[in-house]
């Protein structure tokens, strides 16, 4: 017989987790101090089971529902082998609830679904804290496969193993995560919103930012996604990670987001956030039909995967006499002068603005461009005119990419480009998380794909771009923007210095309690 599971809190998450546990065959106590919350939870669980039944995914609705009992008594819950707390996000409330359960039964497993608080802090009020862990489900819990299994400082490592196996038996994909601010997904995803807000604050249109990111394969653009999550919830997550890291500049929330929250423009739920609902964000423009004649051919310069992919998929020439312009895919600014004397230059902006490149190549027409591999028919090519204005290089770039069927957008000049700047900071954040032992590289990639729908994990993307161009670009961004939030993580520097291009070959010493114990035993 499967052990009984108790869920504390019958709100959005609690009712979803209760449904998952009941479908997996467990008897469930669903606890909430408010009877109307319990009634609503049962109604919604029934409606969701019905929907799944109609889609042919599930049978035996009545048996599943019969396994769920509601209660307003913690004593009932104390009999359960596993308790999962999904009460409102207040530290003292969570400590009190699990502390009380721990008094009523000294042997059960106590899990918290907190998004922002330290599992160790919640466990501090519980008798025998070795049995406390985080089981961080994602919304909606019935559908989202990812569960972060979070070990606090005192959690028994064997318990984490057992809970991973249990989550698998519930049809979930558990990922082991260390107890640190934002855990894994909510932390690594911060730049997706934070850097998009920075770019918006620098004068780029939110519609353009959303189109570019969707063109890269992200299911939603950052502004659209903030509207779905709720600007207040997203802002609270950013603020909590920022505070938990004592004001680390990478996580600083943006005043423009606060302004909307303060105005009550919270997204879809209030009918207005970044966009107005309906209709929501405008659809992206359709790319022009590719023309095959009269394409100005460039010399494509650079060894990196972007240059290779452009050479493989776009018309170009290796003959200087035939070339109408140079498409320079190199990242370092120092490399960008004194070649092909008379040709206009369209230069990659990953590490530098078009204006900075123009300053290096005085007297020549210069434009900036960016697009991030893997290139697809939906890729939006970002084009940048230097501050001196549009010129022949910009016109050549527009004609060239449009002739291949790509959408082009001419954007206000800034270093990095939209797609690359956001991606580079996601990669840098992912590196910081693995360097701190929050998760392993494969788990991080898997968690980001499952938890956020990213088309590739950030570290997989880094491998595809090569680490060296990412490092050089971050160095350039830090220099030109003059801000610490762009500083490359030391692990990135070390990997490039060591010639490592692949996270599979990386040997990191994790510092989870179990590993430390093993290492101490070995040392003895
Ligand atoms: P919610 O507001 O939808 O539900 C909270 C429920 O707790 C309500 O039914 C409320 O009546 C009940 N409650 C109030 N006081 C209580 C008490 N003293 N004891 C037990 N229950 C009490 O909140 P939610 O979105 O389900 O979030 C619950 C937890 O899950 C939070 O810790 C949140 O951070 C976390 N979480 C939320 C999401 C999400 O997207 N909503 C995702 C992951 C984790």
């Amino acid at each position: 017989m499967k052990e009984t599971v108790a869920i504390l809190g019958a709100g959005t998450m609690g009712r979803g987790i209760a449904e998952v546990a009941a479908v997996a065959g467990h008897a469930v106590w669903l606890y909430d101090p408010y009877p109307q919350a319990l009634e609503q939870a049962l109604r919604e669980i029934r409606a969701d089971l019905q929907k799944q039944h109609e889609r042919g995914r599930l049978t035996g609705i009545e048996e599943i529902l019969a396994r769920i009992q509601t209660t307003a008594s913690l004593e009932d819950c104390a009999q359960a082998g596993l308790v999962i707390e999904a009460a409102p996000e207040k530290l003292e409330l969570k400590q009190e609830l699990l502390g009380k359960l721990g008094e009523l039964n000294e042997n059960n497993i106590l899990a918290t679904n907190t998004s922002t608080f330290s599992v160790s802090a919640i466990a501090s009020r519980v008798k025998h804290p070795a049995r406390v862990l985080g089981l961080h489900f994602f919304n909606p819990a019935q559908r989202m496969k990812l569960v972060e299994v979070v070990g606090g400082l005192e959690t028994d490592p064997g318990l984490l193993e057992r809970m991973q196996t249990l989550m698998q038996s519930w049809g979930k994909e558990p990922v082991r995560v260390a107890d640190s601010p934002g855990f894994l997904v909510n932390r690594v995803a911060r730049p997706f919103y934070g850097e998009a807000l920075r770019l918006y604050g620098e004068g780029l249109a939110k519609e353009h930012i959303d189109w570019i990111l969707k063109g890269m394969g992200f299911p939603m653009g950052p502004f659209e996604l903030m509207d779905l999550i709720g600007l207040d919830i997203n802002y609270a997550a950013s603020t909590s990670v920022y505070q938990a890291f004592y004001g680390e500049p990478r996580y600083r929330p943006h005043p423009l987001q606060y302004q909307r929250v303060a105005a009550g423009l919270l997204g879809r739920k209030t009918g207005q956030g970044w966009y107005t609902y309906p209709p929501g964000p405008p659809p992206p423009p359709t790319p022009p039909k590719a023309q095959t004649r009269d394409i100005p051919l460039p010399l494509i310069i650079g060894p990196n995967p972007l240059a290779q992919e452009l050479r493989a998929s776009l018309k170009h020439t290796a003959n200087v006499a035939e070339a109408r312009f140079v498409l320079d895919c190199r990242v370092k600014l120092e490399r960008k002068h004194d070649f092909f004397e008379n040709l206009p230059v369209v230069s990659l902006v990953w590490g530098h603005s078009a204006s900075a490149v123009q300053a290096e190549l005085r007297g020549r027409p210069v434009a900036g461009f960016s697009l991030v591999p893997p290139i697809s028919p939906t890729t939006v090519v970002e084009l940048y005119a230097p501050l001196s204005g549009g010129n022949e290089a910009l016109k050549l770039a527009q004609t060239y990419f449009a002739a291949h069927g790509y959408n082009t957008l001419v954007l206000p000049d800034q270093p990095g480009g939209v797609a690359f700047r956001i991606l580079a900071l996601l990669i840098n954040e992912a590196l910081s998380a693995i360097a701190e032992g929050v998760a392993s590289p494969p788990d991080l990639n898997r968690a980001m794909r499952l938890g956020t729908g990213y088309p590739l994990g950030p570290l997989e993307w880094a491998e595809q771009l090569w680490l060296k161009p990412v490092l050089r670009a971050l160095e350039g961004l830090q220099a030109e923007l003059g801000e610490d939030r762009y500083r490359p993580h030391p692990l990135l520097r070390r990997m490039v210095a060591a010639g490592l291009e692949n996270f599979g070959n990386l040997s990191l010493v994790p510092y989870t309690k179990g590993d430390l114990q093993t290492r101490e035993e070995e040392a003895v």
Side-chain angles (χ1 to χ4, degrees):
M1 200 153 115
K2 296 193 176 180
E3 67 191 345
T4 301
V5 177
I7 314 288
L8 311 183
T12 311
M13 295 307 291
R15 68 180 70 130
I17 301 167
E19 182 181 323
V20 174
V23 169
H26 294 266
V28 175
W29 281 111
L30 182 56
Y31 166 90
D32 203 290
Y34 300 100
Q36 64 278 24
L38 290 170
E39 284 158 27
Q40 195 189 340
L42 284 183
R43 270 199 307 276
E44 292 198 9
I45 292 172
R46 178 179 283 279
D48 189 67
L49 291 172
Q50 192 66 42
K51 207 158 57 184
Q52 292 188 61
H53 176 69
E54 281 157 17
R55 290 182 184 159
R57 292 193 194 135
L58 173 141
T59 54
I61 295 179
E62 295 309 322
E63 288 89 327
I64 294 168
L65 283 168
R67 284 197 282 273
I68 303 177
Q69 291 194 73
T70 57
T71 181
S73 148
L74 283 179
E75 279 74 14
D76 286 338
C77 300
Q79 304 317 312
L82 168 65
V83 177
I84 304 175
E85 169 280 308
E89 191 69 352
K90 292 180 187 139
L91 180 59
E92 287 199 352
L93 172 63
K94 289 174 189 288
Q95 287 174 327
E96 195 186 308
L97 276 172
L98 290 188
K100 200 157 175 198
L101 260 297
E103 293 286 338
L104 291 168
N105 179 342
E106 298 201 359
N107 299 312
N108 52 9
I109 299 165
L110 301 173
T112 172
N113 186 45
T114 180
S115 308
T116 53
F117 298 123
S118 152
V119 170
S120 311
I122 294 171
S124 68
R125 303 283 173 84
V126 176
K127 218 171 179 178
H128 310 313
R131 61 186 163 142
V132 179
L133 78 156
L135 287 177
H136 186 222
F137 290 79
F138 287 72
N139 187 13
Q142 304 93 311
R143 313 262 175 281
M144 296 293 283
K145 291 267 179 212
L146 180 65
V147 178
E148 293 180 338
V149 177
V150 188
L153 288 175
E154 298 192 74
T155 310
D156 168 12
L159 174 65
L160 296 172
E161 294 287 332
R162 271 165 43 220
M163 287 299 108
Q164 266 187 285
T165 310
L166 182 74
M167 289 302 107
Q168 276 161 351
S169 77
W170 289 13
K172 297 297 179 193
E173 293 218 28
V175 167
R176 274 281 282 281
V177 174
D179 186 18
S180 71
F183 305 132
L184 181 62
V185 171
N186 281 347
R187 168 188 174 169
V188 175
R190 294 300 2 120
F192 190 69
Y193 316 105
E195 202 55 23
L197 285 161
R198 293 293 295 230
L199 288 157
Y200 177 62
E202 287 171 24
L204 282 100
K206 59 184 183 306
E207 292 81 0
H208 289 173
I209 298 172
D210 278 352
W211 292 343
I212 291 166
L213 274 286
K214 280 198 280 190
M216 290 167 82
F218 288 93
M220 279 191 182
F223 293 91
E224 223 181 323
L225 185 54
M226 281 186 262
D227 274 356
L228 180 73
I229 293 168
L231 267 65
D232 51 340
I233 305 276
N234 186 265
Y235 177 74
S238 301
T239 309
S240 117
V241 173
Y242 179 61
Q243 286 169 350
F245 280 107
Y246 300 104
E248 160 60 47
R250 301 204 299 277
Y251 307 118
R252 187 182 300 132
H254 203 285
L256 289 174
Q257 188 177 22
Y258 171 72
Q259 188 189 39
R260 293 214 169 213
V261 173
L265 307 178
L266 305 182
R268 287 195 196 188
K269 61 188 171 188
T270 59
Q272 197 181 345
W274 295 109
Y275 299 106
T276 304
Y277 296 85
T286 35
K289 286 224 162 44
Q291 307 158 6
T292 42
R293 284 185 303 150
D294 302 330
I295 300 179
L297 296 183
L299 277 174
I300 300 179
I301 309 289
N304 59 32
L306 172 64
Q308 291 173 27
E309 209 172 319
L310 290 176
R311 276 194 284 265
S313 53
L314 304 188
K315 289 187 185 302
H316 66 105
T317 178
N319 178 348
V320 186
E322 250 178 44
R324 299 269 304 280
F325 68 104
V326 175
L327 193 62
D328 186 356
C329 300
R330 296 170 303 175
V331 176
K332 269 182 109 167
L333 190 58
E334 303 84 80
R335 293 268 172 84
K336 289 194 183 273
H337 41 80
D338 286 342
F339 63 91
F340 313 116
E341 203 66 50
N342 301 315
L343 290 173
V345 174
V346 178
S347 172
L348 188 66
V349 296
W350 287 1
H352 305 277
S353 60
S355 303
V357 179
Q358 166 118 83
E360 289 289 318
L361 298 174
R362 240 170 256 288
R364 278 219 249 173
V366 169
F369 87 103
S370 175
L371 74 173
V372 171
I375 300 167
S376 83
T378 61
T379 303
V380 176
V381 181
E382 302 167 37
L383 298 176
Y384 296 91
L387 291 175
S388 56
N391 56 42
E392 192 194 341
L394 184 70
K395 283 195 206 112
L396 283 163
Q398 274 177 306
T399 312
Y400 178 67
F401 286 109
H404 287 89
Y406 289 102
N407 264 321
T408 58
L409 284 175
V410 180
L411 302 163
D413 194 24
Q414 46 84 22
V418 172
F420 182 80
R421 224 161 101 177
I422 293 174
L423 181 59
L425 292 200
L426 285 171
I427 291 170
N428 208 36
E429 196 55 45
L431 277 149
S432 83
I434 59 164
E436 289 168 29
V438 178
S440 69
D443 275 357
L444 184 143
N445 286 323
R446 194 160 57 94
M448 295 312 290
R449 278 193 265 103
L450 287 168
T452 61
Y454 290 178
L456 283 172
L459 302 173
E460 290 167 319
W461 224 323
E463 288 173 347
Q464 290 211 7
L465 298 177
W466 290 359
L467 297 191
K468 199 167 175 181
V470 175
L471 171 63
R472 297 291 170 243
L474 283 166
E475 288 169 343
L477 288 171
Q478 189 184 14
E480 192 171 334
L481 292 165
E483 286 190 64
D484 238 17
R485 64 192 266 121
Y486 302 100
R487 71 178 184 276
H489 193 276
L491 177 60
L492 178 59
R493 288 189 190 285
R494 282 206 296 282
M495 286 184 71
V496 170
L500 280 180
E501 281 291 345
N502 195 310
F503 292 90
N505 301 328
L506 184 65
S507 169
L508 287 169
V509 182
Y511 62 74
T512 58
K513 192 180 172 213
D515 295 314
L516 269 186
Q517 271 173 348
T518 316
R519 293 211 313 277
E520 278 160 14
E521 279 157 21
E522 279 168 5
V524 171

